[in-house]
Amino acid sequence: MATTEIDIFANEEKRSLELAGHVGFDSLPDQLVSKAVSQGFCFNILCVGETGIGKSTLINTLFNTTFESDEASHYLQDVHLRPKTYDLQESNVNLKLTIVDTVGFGDQINKDESYKPIVDYIDTQFENFLQEEMKIKRSLHNYHDSRIHICLYFIAPTGHSLKSLDLVTMKKLDSKVNIIPVIAKADTISKSELHKFKIKIMSELVSNGVQIYQFPTEDEAVTEINSTMNAHLPFAVIGSVEQVKVGNKMVRARLYPWGSVQVENESHCDFVKLREMLLRVNIEDLREQTHARHYELYRRCKLEEMGFKDTDPDSQPFSLQQTYETKRKEFLVELQRKEEEMRQMFVNKVKETEAELKEKERELHERFEQLKRMHHDEKRNLEEKRRELEEEMNSFNRRKVAAETLMGQALQSCSQQPFKKDKDKKNFFSLPSACSLTSGRNLN
């Protein structure tokens, strides 16, 4: 019986299901486009280059407008990043454009830390987005994404090679942002020199391990054009917002005594190629690469620093709660250890202070005993001097009494013999006359 049923089912023809009508999920891309257009887009450009190399002029030329910009000085002590946001509209598409300028880059004598403010700014934007993602109540749909999508690195048209500052800065930035190198003011060198300069730049970037942005070639629709444009890197560009009459039409160009250089003439510069690749063909890929590659790398490193892992040592899923509990226990143990270290440090400090105070007390006691001995010696010396002085006074008094006694006896004897005294006086007063006579005799 079972065998018969199996044969019957095997011999039945397979049925094919057909749709009774139009389902309509093929309109999903249109729905996504409509929703994205209604929400608008954001695009953030970082311009890195020396002061006066033409960053603001190129941005104005790219978007065919004049953005407000303050003239930067060449004498700034540090590098400052100056972001400005603008709301642009083209047809029915709204774009929130943020342009970040590196003010003072390359103007310092010591350029060792010139790249650090740029790296810090990029990391800060990543950190802000990560903090918004980790909130309990997130609002990413209306969050202003300030992460840098593209870095236009302006290279001075020296015609020789890249500067050390350029290589170091691009090496520090290549893992954090999409870098497109551009040769600024390309009309200052000849075409042959420009071609050699491009080859030299790419050779130095490869030899120093600098990863610049490569236009994607996976999509068949843009494979050919992106492959061609990858061969033109770095782009040699010219910026100008001035309208110059060439022939019968007005074009954006730079006017010189010997002629004009047209910005949108592909035989003069690569400005059109840069605009097409940056704004028309690959703007969404730049946004996607920023989120999927650079931000994810920053997020992964940040979470690993915090101790989060995807799996435990046994390759089992590692839950967030377990990770939190583990980090909390580690933190408490570390906190207790630090408290014990601080307590022990405090005890040792108290002991050291007590030992110092005892040493100071001993030194003060010795000083006191020394001063006491000195006082005793001085007191004894004063006593001896006082005793000697008293002896001298007594001796003086005895001599005085003896002298008074002798004087009294002399006065008494003089009063008893008055006549003899008068005679002696006469003899005394007559002595000069006798002497004068004697002296006169000697003179004669």
Side-chain angles (χ1 to χ4, degrees):
M1 181 64 180
T3 306
T4 304
E5 291 180 355
I6 293 173
D7 293 339
I8 292 173
F9 285 115
N11 294 328
E12 288 184 358
E13 295 180 358
K14 296 180 180 179
R15 294 181 300 171
S16 58
L17 297 177
E18 295 181 359
L19 299 176
H22 181 69
V23 176
F25 59 80
D26 61 345
S27 65
L28 182 59
D30 297 331
Q31 297 176 35
L32 293 176
V33 170
S34 300
K35 184 177 180 180
V37 169
S38 63
Q39 291 179 349
F41 303 90
C42 68
F43 192 56
N44 306 318
I45 302 176
L46 172 66
C47 299
V48 180
E50 300 174 359
T51 304
I53 204 170
K55 301 186 293 293
S56 301
T57 304
L58 181 64
I59 294 298
N60 293 339
T61 310
L62 274 174
F63 293 93
N64 196 22
T65 185
T66 301
F67 298 109
E68 57 181 19
S69 60
D70 301 327
E71 186 175 353
S73 172
H74 287 271
Y75 304 101
L76 296 178
Q77 298 296 326
D78 301 309
V79 179
H80 303 280
L81 274 79
R82 187 168 57 193
K84 291 186 178 180
T85 303
Y86 308 93
D87 292 321
L88 305 180
Q89 183 175 6
E90 185 173 287
S91 298
N92 63 334
V93 178
N94 295 318
L95 179 67
K96 187 181 288 291
L97 176 67
T98 301
I99 300 172
V100 184
D101 189 13
T102 53
V103 182
F105 180 79
D107 290 339
Q108 294 76 31
I109 297 177
N110 185 3
K111 300 179 177 61
D112 292 341
E113 299 295 329
S114 295
Y115 66 88
K116 195 173 185 303
I118 305 174
V119 174
D120 292 342
Y121 179 84
I122 297 174
D123 288 343
T124 300
Q125 311 317 309
F126 284 155
E127 182 65 24
N128 293 338
F129 193 86
L130 178 61
Q131 293 298 327
E132 184 66 27
E133 272 193 334
M134 296 180 68
K135 287 182 179 179
I136 297 176
K137 294 181 64 176
R138 299 182 299 178
S139 57
L140 294 176
H141 62 282
N142 59 359
Y143 174 77
H144 175 53
D145 188 3
S146 59
R147 294 173 297 177
I148 300 298
H149 299 124
I150 181 64
C151 170
L152 293 178
Y153 196 94
F154 289 74
I155 300 172
T158 59
H160 300 289
S161 61
L162 289 172
K163 299 179 181 178
S164 300
L165 176 63
D166 299 331
L167 290 172
V168 172
T169 304
M170 282 193 277
K171 185 63 178 177
K172 294 291 183 180
L173 296 179
D174 63 356
S175 61
K176 298 179 179 294
V177 68
N178 303 311
I179 301 176
I180 295 182
V182 295
I183 302 174
K185 299 181 178 180
D187 55 337
T188 59
I189 54 178
S190 63
K191 281 191 174 183
S192 60
E193 291 177 343
L194 184 60
H195 180 68
K196 294 178 182 179
F197 192 34
K198 283 186 175 184
I199 296 175
K200 182 68 174 178
I201 289 174
M202 294 304 298
S203 175
E204 291 183 349
L205 292 178
V206 172
S207 62
N208 288 276
V210 178
Q211 300 293 327
I212 63 174
Y213 176 74
Q214 295 290 320
F215 301 114
T217 57
E218 293 81 9
D219 189 357
E220 294 180 358
V222 294
T223 298
E224 184 178 356
I225 185 172
N226 281 347
S227 299
T228 303
M229 292 304 161
N230 283 329
H232 283 83
L233 289 173
F235 293 126
V237 296
I238 301 169
S240 177
V241 293
E242 297 179 1
Q243 297 288 333
V244 178
K245 188 174 182 180
V246 178
N248 296 325
K249 60 179 181 179
M250 301 295 292
V251 296
R252 289 184 294 177
R254 301 187 72 89
L255 191 61
Y256 296 98
W258 45 264
S260 61
V261 179
Q262 300 177 29
V263 173
E264 297 180 348
N265 190 334
E266 295 191 42
S267 62
H268 291 179
C269 68
D270 298 329
F271 172 79
V272 175
K273 297 182 179 65
L274 174 64
R275 184 179 60 187
E276 292 293 303
M277 293 297 98
L278 186 63
L279 302 180
R280 189 179 70 86
V281 180
N282 298 300
I283 186 171
E284 183 57 30
D285 184 73
L286 290 168
R287 287 158 42 90
E288 182 182 350
Q289 286 289 326
T290 298
H291 180 78
R293 179 187 170 193
H294 302 295
Y295 170 70
E296 285 299 322
L297 177 61
Y298 175 85
R299 177 179 174 274
R300 184 184 68 192
C301 295
K302 197 71 175 179
L303 293 179
E304 287 178 352
E305 288 178 3
M306 297 169 63
F308 293 98
K309 300 177 181 178
D310 292 332
T311 58
D312 59 11
D314 298 330
S315 298
Q316 297 297 324
F318 206 64
S319 68
L320 182 63
Q321 182 66 25
Q322 291 176 351
T323 304
Y324 171 76
E325 292 295 336
T326 303
K327 296 301 294 183
R328 184 173 181 274
K329 291 179 181 179
E330 292 177 358
F331 174 76
L332 292 176
V333 172
E334 183 68 16
L335 182 62
Q336 185 176 2
R337 184 184 64 82
K338 289 185 177 180
E339 287 180 353
E340 186 63 29
E341 289 180 357
M342 293 181 65
R343 188 180 295 108
Q344 188 64 33
M345 186 184 301
F346 177 76
V347 171
N348 295 336
K349 204 71 176 176
V350 170
K351 290 182 179 179
E352 292 177 0
T353 306
E354 289 180 351
E356 291 178 359
L357 290 175
K358 288 182 179 179
E359 182 66 21
K360 294 291 185 182
E361 184 180 1
R362 185 183 61 80
E363 292 178 358
L364 288 174
H365 184 71
E366 291 180 355
R367 181 64 177 170
F368 173 74
E369 292 295 332
Q370 182 181 3
L371 293 175
K372 187 177 180 181
R373 289 193 297 269
M374 292 174 61
H375 175 70
H376 184 268
D377 294 340
E378 289 180 356
K379 184 177 180 181
R380 186 177 57 195
N381 293 334
L382 287 175
E383 289 293 334
E384 292 179 356
K385 289 183 178 180
R386 186 176 64 82
R387 194 164 47 250
E388 292 176 356
L389 185 58
E390 288 179 353
E391 292 178 355
E392 290 180 358
M393 290 176 64
N394 293 334
S395 175
F396 175 76
N397 289 332
R398 288 195 296 269
R399 289 197 299 273
K400 182 180 178 182
V401 171
E404 290 178 352
T405 304
L406 291 174
M407 187 177 291
Q409 291 177 358
L411 291 174
Q412 186 178 0
S413 60
C414 289
S415 60
Q416 291 177 358
Q417 298 176 356
F419 297 105
K420 186 178 180 180
K421 185 176 181 182
D422 292 337
K423 186 178 180 180
D424 292 336
K425 287 182 179 179
K426 289 180 181 181
N427 294 330
F428 175 76
F429 287 113
S430 63
L431 282 174
S433 301
C435 292
S436 60
L437 292 174
T438 306
S439 60
R441 242 185 247 116
N442 292 331
L443 292 173
N444 293 326

